[in-house]
């Protein structure tokens, strides 16, 4: 009987936990995926995903119908890059806002609307602050040249139709605030 008892004991020891599921295998270590390579820095200033630095602001006050003063909060584009970029890739321009382009000297100026998605009014302004000419509702996404009718030092871009809505006319005077220390690059 003793050999039978040994056989049963050996059998029981060989199959511990009979009727229970086997323990789970050890978990595989969690490995994070490799980081995505960094996106290349976009250097084409006309590209939609170019990261344009913030521009300074100034106030341009226009005179509308009945002598009403119309202050415009304007981003100031005085560098070559800022003037080239302008209002490209903007989907809206709020009433009472715009972009003032400053040039280093009075000269004949011409603008186009490449990569500009919204119609704009362009007010060409001479060195004395007189509006030389206005291009109203310039068609977006075109390379058509839109020149001033005389030499200008500044161009103020506004939402399309602003000049007509507010009675802003060529020949009227404008004033500038907050731009005296901004130097235009050639």
């Amino acid at each position: 009987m003793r050999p039978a008892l040994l056989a049963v004991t050996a059998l029981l020891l060989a199959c511990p936990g009979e009727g229970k599921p086997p323990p789970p295998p050890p978990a595989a270590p969690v490995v994070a995926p490799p980081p995505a390579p960094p996106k290349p820095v976009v250097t084409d200033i006309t590209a939609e995903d170019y990261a344009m630095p913030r521009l300074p602001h100034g106030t341009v006050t226009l005179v509308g119908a009945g002598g009403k003063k119309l202050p415009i909060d304007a981003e100031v584009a005085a560098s070559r890059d800022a003037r080239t970029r302008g209002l490209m890739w903007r989907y809206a321009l709020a009433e009472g806002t715009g972009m003032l382009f400053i040039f280093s000297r009075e000269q004949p100026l011409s603008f186009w609307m490449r990569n500009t998605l919204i119609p704009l009014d362009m007010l060409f302004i001479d060195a004395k602050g007189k509006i030389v000419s206005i291009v109203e509702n310039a068609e977006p996404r075109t390379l058509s040249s839109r020149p001033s009718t005389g030499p200008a030092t500044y161009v103020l871009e506004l939402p399309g139709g602003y000049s007509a809505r507010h009675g802003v006319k060529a020949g009227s005077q404008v004033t500038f605030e907050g731009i005296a220390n901004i130097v235009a690059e050639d």
Side-chain angles (χ1 to χ4, degrees):
M1 221 196 236
R2 198 166 176 112
L5 184 59
L6 279 175
V8 169
T9 303
L11 185 62
L12 287 174
L13 289 173
C15 302
E18 197 166 304
K20 294 181 185 174
V30 176
V31 178
K39 290 185 178 182
V41 176
V42 177
T43 57
D44 176 1
I45 197 148
T46 65
E48 185 173 7
D49 54 351
Y50 177 79
M52 186 70 192
R54 289 183 56 89
L55 298 176
H57 280 246
T59 301
V60 181
T61 302
L62 305 171
V63 178
K68 183 177 180 185
K69 296 203 182 280
L70 305 164
I72 304 296
D73 176 26
E75 292 177 77
V76 180
S79 70
R80 179 180 297 265
D81 284 351
R83 290 190 306 255
T84 298
R85 178 72 177 196
L87 291 169
M88 287 183 184
W89 305 111
R90 306 277 181 103
Y91 292 93
L93 185 60
E95 194 80 2
T97 67
M99 182 172 281
L100 179 66
F101 298 79
I102 302 177
F103 294 85
S104 61
R105 60 185 162 69
E106 198 168 74
Q107 59 191 304
L109 295 173
S110 183
F111 275 46
W112 41 264
M113 299 281 286
R114 177 181 175 201
N115 300 329
T116 305
L117 308 177
I118 53 177
L120 298 172
D121 282 5
M122 298 174 189
L123 285 65
F124 294 89
I125 304 165
D126 70 14
K128 295 178 182 173
K130 183 179 88 174
I131 299 175
V132 175
S133 60
I134 299 175
V135 174
E136 293 188 40
N137 281 306
E139 182 184 355
R141 301 195 108 169
T142 64
L143 292 176
S144 301
S145 177
R146 293 166 180 91
S148 61
T149 58
T153 304
Y154 309 95
V155 178
L156 179 63
E157 290 185 340
L158 300 168
Y162 183 93
S163 301
R165 283 191 300 279
H166 297 282
V168 177
K169 304 281 184 202
S172 64
Q173 203 64 31
V174 305
T175 57
F176 303 103
E177 293 174 46
I179 67 165
N181 295 327
I182 298 174
V183 177
E185 294 178 10
D186 281 333

